[in-house]
Amino acid sequence: MQNALTLNDGAHESSGIDFLHEIGSRIATADPLDAVLARVVEFISAVMNCDSCFVYLLEANELVLKASKNPHANEINRLRLRMGQGITGWVAEHKKPVALARNASTDPRFRSFNELPEDRYEAFLSVPVLSRGKLVGVINLQHREPHRHTEEQMRLISTIGFLVGAEVEMARLEGENSRLSVELQSRKVIERAKGILQRNLQIDEGEAYLTLQKHSRQRRKSMKEIAEAVILGEDLKRTRHDGQRTLDIRRQAV
């Protein structure tokens, strides 16, 4: 990590601008969301020189731990907080940052998690991750020793939160579009298979659908997989038919 990215209390504003440009460029080139979050944690840890950095994302009205500076393999994607639970939940609920320079665990909003040794750290900064005013998650920074976060540092983390929020929303939108595309493709395959069954078995559309559904349950495979098997069987039958027809034509020519 370049020293230019480290922003201490006496750093110039240009350092923050350079940092934002750098992290924006890194985010723009990262595809998987977990890679984006890992880079965000890396940058924040460097620029703030903190002992801990957590990124929580909002999922189904719960905050889920998605990235951490310190190794927490058992907690990533498993540790969940309710809205309003602990300082993190308070920040999410009110969409306002909280900065505690010392004795963070004595704050009435604080909640301890035995699996997180960072709960014993002195200083705590929690900032909401927003996208167009909509809550996306929370970024938490902690220091083992008392630490005062400057207004510039808080603004910087808030700005990073906006960048992360936009990236998370974009990733989720792309994921939703991908899911819809897969569903559309599945429907097309199923519709084609239904047509084959209707023609070959002389049944109506409803009976064709129930036939696919029945085989899907019996074989414990998705309806798309059953439909693909029906289509493959029809294609093979047509290929054999075409091959036999070609052979008959050749024989007649002889």
Side-chain angles (χ1 to χ4, degrees):
M1 188 65 60
Q2 298 178 357
N3 292 333
L5 294 178
T6 302
L7 182 64
N8 295 321
D9 292 349
H12 296 294
E13 186 176 356
S14 60
S15 298
I17 294 175
D18 291 341
F19 171 75
L20 290 176
H21 175 75
E22 180 71 12
I23 192 173
S25 300
R26 293 290 187 93
I27 286 177
T29 59
D31 288 332
L33 182 57
D34 57 350
V36 172
L37 297 180
R39 291 185 181 189
V40 167
V41 168
E42 176 186 356
F43 273 102
I44 292 177
S45 299
V47 75
M48 298 293 286
N49 194 27
C50 57
D51 297 308
S52 169
C53 179
F54 291 140
V55 177
Y56 292 86
L57 294 185
L58 184 64
E59 294 183 357
N61 209 36
E62 286 186 318
L63 296 164
V64 183
L65 181 61
K66 290 292 184 178
S68 170
K69 173 185 178 180
N70 303 322
H72 286 295
N74 294 330
E75 281 70 48
I76 297 295
N77 292 317
R78 297 180 183 177
L79 179 59
R80 296 174 177 268
L81 302 176
R82 298 185 306 276
M83 293 289 286
Q85 182 180 10
I87 296 175
T88 304
W90 188 96
V91 168
E93 188 172 53
H94 293 82
K95 299 180 184 178
K96 296 180 180 180
V98 169
L100 302 171
R102 63 178 65 245
N103 300 322
S105 60
T106 63
D107 188 277
R109 295 165 294 189
F110 185 85
R111 293 294 180 274
S112 178
F113 297 92
N114 294 330
E115 60 266 41
L116 298 179
E118 290 87 349
D119 285 346
R120 296 187 291 271
Y121 291 2
E122 282 280 332
F124 193 107
L125 173 63
S126 187
V127 177
V129 175
L130 304 172
S131 178
R132 297 183 179 181
K134 176 184 175 182
L135 180 74
V136 175
V138 176
I139 295 175
N140 287 347
L141 281 69
Q142 292 166 281
H143 292 79
R144 288 187 176 89
E145 302 300 328
H147 179 87
R148 184 182 65 84
H149 298 96
T150 67
E151 289 293 330
E152 182 183 18
Q153 289 175 329
M154 293 176 65
R155 285 197 302 269
L156 181 59
I157 299 303
S158 294
T159 304
I160 293 172
F162 286 122
L163 288 174
V164 174
E167 179 63 21
V168 170
E169 287 297 283
M170 180 63 70
R172 286 177 172 171
L173 180 60
E174 291 175 352
E176 179 66 13
N177 289 340
S178 178
R179 183 185 66 80
L180 292 175
S181 177
V182 170
E183 287 184 358
L184 178 60
Q185 182 61 30
S186 296
R187 284 198 295 269
K188 289 181 178 179
V189 172
I190 291 172
E191 287 298 317
R192 183 181 173 191
K194 281 165 52 180
I196 293 172
L197 292 178
Q198 287 178 255
R199 183 174 61 253
N200 291 347
L201 302 179
Q202 296 299 303
I203 58 179
D204 62 26
E205 182 179 358
E207 291 175 309
Y209 182 86
L210 291 176
T211 299
L212 290 172
Q213 190 178 62
K214 175 183 176 181
H215 285 282
S216 172
R217 290 172 178 172
Q218 288 178 342
R219 289 167 172 75
R220 296 182 179 179
K221 294 182 179 296
S222 68
M223 285 187 65
K224 180 175 181 290
E225 290 175 304
I226 298 299
E228 288 173 337
V230 170
I231 294 170
L232 177 60
E234 182 72 6
D235 289 344
L236 290 175
K237 184 171 69 174
R238 184 180 297 110
T239 299
R240 287 196 299 268
H241 175 75
D242 292 344
Q244 184 62 47
R245 183 179 179 183
T246 301
L247 182 59
D248 292 343
I249 292 174
R250 288 178 178 175
R251 284 174 178 173
Q252 291 174 2
V254 174

